[in-house]
Amino acid sequence: MQPAEQRDEVEMLWLMLLIRRFEERASQQYQAQKIGGFCHLYIGQEAVVAGAIAAIRFDDYIITAYRDHAHALARGTSANACMAELFGKDTGCSRGLGGSMHFFDKEHHMYGGHAIVGAHVPLACGLAFACKYRNEDRVTLCFFGDGAINQGAFHEALNLAALFKLPVIFICENNLFAMGTSVERSTSLKQIVDRAEGYDIPGCVVDGMNFRHVRDTLSEVVESIRKDPHPAFVEVRTYRYRGHSMSDPASYRTKEQLEKYRLDDPITRLRAQLTREGKLTNEKFDELDKEAKRIALESVKFAEQSDEPPLEKLYDYTYV
Amino acid sequence: MQMREITYRQALNEALAEELARDPNVFLMGEEVAEYNGAYKVSQGLLERFGPKRIIDTPISENGFAGLGVGAAMVGLRPIIEFMTFSFSLVAFDQVVNNAPNMLTMSGGQFNIPITFRGPNGPAHQLGATHSHATECLYASVPGLKVCTPATPRDAKGLLKTAVRDNNPVLVLESELLYSSKGMVEPAETELLIPLGEAEVKREGSDVTIVCYAQTVALALAVAEKLEDEDISAEVLDLRSIKPLDERAIYDSVAKTHRVVIVEQDRPFCGVGAEVCYRIQKNIFDELDAPIGRVSQEDVPMPYNERLEKAVLPNAEKLIAAVKKVCYA
Ligand SMILES: Cc1ncc(C[n+]2csc(CCOP(=O)(O)OP(=O)(O)O)c2C)c(N)n1
Ligand SMILES: [Mg+2]
């Protein structure tokens, strides 16, 4: 595996395109009722996971909430396995048993997809605890939303991480809303990052629409943790373009706000940076986008043609 | 009296509005209940009518606001705490199980806790293992908690109103899949109160009793209709309350039909049906002409896949087979 910091930026732009095109397809397939249950899209937030992934090694751990398609794709789970999971197929990353909110991929060190808000934050401490226990220098990235910071589990986990000096980075993807509740209406602090201070955990704020800013900040944090295990907190300011889930019309926010963030689109931004620096041509970008679209479309075909999990499997993964 | 057809959602909304209007100590608190009008729109219009002092949005802090409710109830307010779903009440389990019901006993009778916990419960559709919990068996096993499970708009309204007026903790377990279902309900001006602990025969029959509640009531009624074609006359008994349990109604029906199938939306191991079954055989064993049948979920975490989910849930096929078995048909 190449050192994280050197991961090619064009490749990371491609990842962001893949995430977006994949989710556009997922949205379409949800509307066609090929996908059931709840489905939460990540569109607009791509630079967060891409920047974070670019800052770590393959053997590091990641864990996240239910808005998890992008995290699996970023980890290297195939678009086919992701789409098949949404379709509830046996070829899905959780064998069709988890669905959109419960993506898992052990091989790629993706420890879920967790749908109870805040409940996976202590799990991240456990992953990090195990790494430290075994004297490994892996870091654990724990992603969660702005809504999760008011759960008891979150607070207990932060204290444990600080107390035990666990190599875990708490990444709060602050997209300004938890469902229809804005951060001002949910949280007593002006800045989410100030939560970290209360636990004596170093914290910083990052522009989540800027891939490089996310990557560079996290790279520094990761480096310091590898040298000397400790927790860190990163508040990433970002925005989701779509509603909370497929059934949310998002009437609690203004068109102007959405437009403001769309104009600051993370893909457009990285593209412009690379083009300006002569690292990307328009032709190359179009080629990448075409490829991302092709893979997303392929994944739908793959999911459609895959088998359902057999009924006999019902008890296969239940031990009692 | 002119009955009207309204939805289950609207029935709950009316119950909330009437109780809020009647008693200034009543308030509604939960995630997205105010400005968003409820994740499932049960509290539609209440913020506008009663204002932010009484219709209160919270952060995602179930343990916190459930406990806040218990504390407020200790000093005489009458909180209605909405869980966006009862799957999320598990995060507040300690408050619901430890603080709410124990307080009266522990304090030697000093503190009643007049609190209502409500929200959708039970599997909906393809929500996966974390979001599909049927919690009635967990909560009904706790001394001091009353648990009701309305299946119709009328029961939803009448039971919720009664719950709010009860001086002790009551859980009103609604159902996402029922919110848009319709049924006849008394006019808005009439006071509709349905006592806790009263089952209702939703359909009369003579050959077999189907004991059901919440989501399985509609299933039982549909199956009873079908069985009519095969000359099996099924009585459908809706428990409405899991605790207190209307044993009298169960025994009366069984004494008439001598055969019973219990169909429940929770799991088989330590489920509601296990308790009902035990009581029937203990108290009226001689009335039984066949072993008691039981249909519940399969004993596995809920799979996302639609076909597997269907295989886990009770359905018409399973219920018909169980009825035929007890009828030796
Ligand atoms: C304990 C718990 N309570 C409530 C919910 C319902 N719920 C799911 S997502 C969500 C909002 C979370 O917002 P945030 O953490 O900001 O993440 P985002 O959706 O913005 O990515 C809520 C209330 C839940 N899943 N778990
Ligand atoms: Mg958010």
Side-chain angles (χ1 to χ4, degrees):
Chain A
M1 193 68 204
Q2 66 202 114
E5 297 74 18
Q6 257 100 71
R7 276 176 85 164
D8 185 32
E9 289 186 321
V10 175
E11 190 192 317
M12 299 317 285
L13 177 67
W14 184 79
L15 170 65
M16 286 160 68
L17 279 166
L18 176 66
I19 293 169
R20 182 157 305 178
R21 299 311 177 205
F22 176 88
E23 293 232 303
E24 285 166 355
R25 281 286 166 203
S27 165
Q28 186 194 47
Q29 294 302 307
Y30 190 91
Q31 267 142 11
Q33 297 186 334
K34 293 285 174 63
I35 299 171
F38 291 143
C39 182
H40 309 82
L41 301 182
Y42 195 70
I43 296 177
Q45 301 184 203
E46 294 90 344
V48 183
V49 80
I53 266 339
I56 60 170
R57 295 192 314 238
F58 176 74
D59 65 342
D60 289 324
Y61 293 164
I62 85 164
I63 186 164
T64 187
Y66 46 85
R67 200 178 292 287
D68 58 356
H69 312 160
H71 301 76
L73 289 168
R75 224 48 268 253
T77 309
S78 72
N80 283 357
C82 291
M83 192 62 82
E85 188 55 37
L86 297 179
F87 276 56
K89 297 298 181 77
D90 199 29
T91 50
C93 57
S94 304
R95 307 219 133 202
L97 302 178
S100 167
M101 303 193 289
H102 309 110
F103 275 22
F104 289 87
D105 189 347
K106 192 173 183 181
E107 187 191 326
H108 291 96
H109 298 302
M110 157 65 175
Y111 295 92
H114 296 272
I116 298 298
V117 170
H120 67 290
V121 186
L123 300 185
C125 290
L127 299 175
F129 180 87
C131 295
K132 194 172 171 183
Y133 192 82
R134 295 186 176 127
N135 292 318
E136 296 166 348
D137 71 344
R138 298 181 212 251
V139 299
T140 295
L141 301 188
C142 175
F143 297 85
F144 50 86
D146 46 281
I149 66 161
N150 299 310
Q151 272 289 340
F154 166 87
H155 288 270
E156 296 184 24
L158 257 66
N159 186 51
L160 287 172
L163 199 61
F164 299 154
K165 298 204 169 30
L166 301 177
V168 52
I169 307 179
F170 300 107
I171 302 176
C172 180
E173 300 197 50
N174 178 5
N175 59 13
L176 309 185
F177 288 94
M179 238 173 222
T181 305
S182 64
V183 174
E184 304 85 79
R185 293 207 303 123
S186 74
T187 302
S188 59
L189 294 168
K190 285 210 181 58
Q191 288 206 104
I192 286 176
V193 69
D194 294 342
R195 278 270 192 272
E197 208 182 303
Y199 295 98
D200 211 10
I201 293 176
C204 59
V205 178
V206 173
D207 175 2
M209 307 312 261
N210 185 340
F211 165 82
R212 287 179 176 172
H213 196 207
V214 178
R215 179 200 55 196
D216 295 345
T217 310
L218 274 163
S219 297
E220 264 176 51
V221 175
V222 167
E223 203 184 325
S224 113
I225 292 178
R226 284 211 214 282
K227 278 195 212 119
D228 176 30
H230 65 83
F233 190 102
V234 182
E235 176 191 342
V236 189
R237 304 246 167 99
T238 182
Y239 202 74
R240 63 166 156 75
Y241 295 175
R242 302 295 185 95
H244 167 72
S245 69
M246 291 299 296
S247 58
D248 170 29
S251 42
Y252 42 81
R253 60 187 192 186
T254 61
K255 273 205 198 88
E256 291 71 36
Q257 187 184 54
L258 176 59
E259 256 336 285
K260 184 186 129 201
Y261 281 96
R262 272 186 197 278
L263 288 174
D264 197 18
D265 184 78
I267 294 178
T268 314
R269 228 212 242 193
L270 182 57
R271 176 189 180 178
Q273 285 165 331
L274 291 169
T275 308
R276 215 180 306 123
E277 293 159 10
K279 294 174 183 158
L280 182 75
T281 60
N282 285 340
E283 294 71 47
K284 178 70 181 169
F285 179 85
D286 291 344
E287 201 182 294
L288 293 175
D289 196 27
K290 222 171 123 189
E291 179 66 356
K293 284 179 176 157
R294 188 189 64 76
I295 291 176
L297 183 61
E298 260 326 288
S299 75
V300 172
K301 281 192 205 135
F302 174 82
E304 265 167 355
Q305 287 161 7
S306 293
D307 291 332
E308 307 244 351
L311 283 177
E312 310 84 72
K313 263 208 178 144
L314 213 45
Y315 282 89
D316 278 8
Y317 309 112
T318 305
Y319 38 82
V320 66
Chain B
M1 195 164 45
Q2 198 60 43
M3 299 283 275
R4 331 149 277 158
E5 189 175 61
I6 59 173
T7 62
Y8 186 97
R9 172 184 289 109
Q10 194 187 339
L12 291 164
N13 182 273
E14 280 183 8
L16 292 171
E18 288 174 20
E19 294 311 296
L20 282 157
R22 188 185 55 80
D23 183 348
N25 285 321
V26 175
F27 66 92
L28 173 69
M29 182 178 272
E31 290 154 26
E32 310 288 353
V33 298
E35 294 197 7
Y36 200 79
N37 286 299
Y40 298 100
K41 305 295 169 215
V42 170
S43 53
Q44 185 88 47
L46 296 182
L47 172 65
E48 201 180 324
R49 181 162 165 207
F50 296 100
K53 181 179 171 193
R54 302 184 64 202
I55 311 297
I56 306 155
D57 278 329
T58 64
I60 312 170
S61 309
E62 287 84 358
N63 196 30
F65 65 76
L68 183 156
V70 175
M74 286 178 80
V75 287
L77 295 188
R78 306 185 80 86
I80 304 173
I81 299 296
E82 173 173 315
F83 291 120
M84 192 176 279
T85 85
F86 266 88
S87 287
F88 311 148
S89 78
L90 301 181
V91 172
F93 205 57
D94 184 52
Q95 296 297 343
V96 182
V97 169
N98 241 336
N99 282 345
N102 287 346
M103 203 70 76
L104 185 64
T105 320
M106 268 186 332
S107 68
Q110 295 181 73
F111 292 103
N112 284 91
I113 306 296
I115 194 169
T116 303
F117 296 107
R118 52 156 291 273
N121 170 63
H125 193 205
Q126 282 198 276
L127 301 186
T130 58
H131 277 52
S132 302
H133 289 285
T135 60
E136 57 271 30
C137 50
L138 302 179
Y139 291 123
S141 75
V142 178
L145 288 182
K146 298 178 186 175
V147 179
C148 64
T149 52
T152 65
R154 184 172 185 276
D155 292 341
K157 182 169 179 186
L159 286 167
L160 177 52
K161 280 171 67 79
T162 303
V164 175
R165 295 184 195 194
D166 200 289
N167 282 331
N168 294 298
V170 182
L171 277 66
V172 181
L173 305 182
E174 302 159 7
S175 169
E176 184 190 332
L177 297 181
L178 294 176
Y179 281 141
S180 297
S181 66
K182 289 185 174 165
M184 301 306 282
V185 180
E186 283 83 340
E189 317 78 72
T190 46
E191 194 76 286
L192 176 62
L193 291 165
I194 295 174
L196 296 163
E198 254 185 37
E200 186 179 64
V201 175
K202 288 281 197 291
R203 182 187 198 275
E204 304 240 13
S206 53
D207 296 331
V208 58
T209 299
I210 303 178
V211 177
C212 52
Y213 63 89
Q215 297 182 18
T216 58
V217 175
L219 170 66
L221 286 168
V223 162
E225 206 63 45
K226 264 197 198 144
L227 289 168
E228 200 65 60
D229 301 339
E230 306 190 34
D231 281 337
I232 297 176
S233 162
E235 177 144 305
V236 174
L237 182 68
D238 174 6
L239 292 177
R240 299 202 292 193
S241 296
I242 305 297
K243 199 178 189 182
L245 183 67
D246 189 351
E247 293 184 61
R248 192 68 266 147
I250 298 170
Y251 304 152
D252 286 349
S253 180
V254 174
K256 182 165 92 175
T257 62
H258 309 293
R259 295 166 200 276
V260 200
V261 172
I262 302 156
V263 56
E264 62 198 302
Q265 62 178 12
D266 68 352
R267 296 172 185 122
F269 200 89
C270 297
V272 169
E275 183 64 32
V276 173
C277 180
Y278 165 73
R279 287 175 191 239
I280 293 172
Q281 64 79 33
K282 175 167 177 275
N283 294 313
I284 51 164
F285 186 77
D286 291 345
E287 292 288 356
L288 288 173
D289 283 350
I292 298 167
R294 199 169 157 221
V295 179
S296 69
Q297 284 188 35
E298 291 291 316
D299 201 6
V300 292
M302 189 63 79
Y304 163 72
N305 174 276
E306 190 174 22
R307 204 166 63 113
L308 261 56
E309 182 180 60
K310 282 194 175 133
V312 168
L313 293 171
N315 59 30
E317 201 183 320
K318 293 180 192 177
L319 182 53
I320 289 171
V323 169
K324 287 188 174 168
K325 195 165 175 203
V326 303
C327 292
Y328 305 119

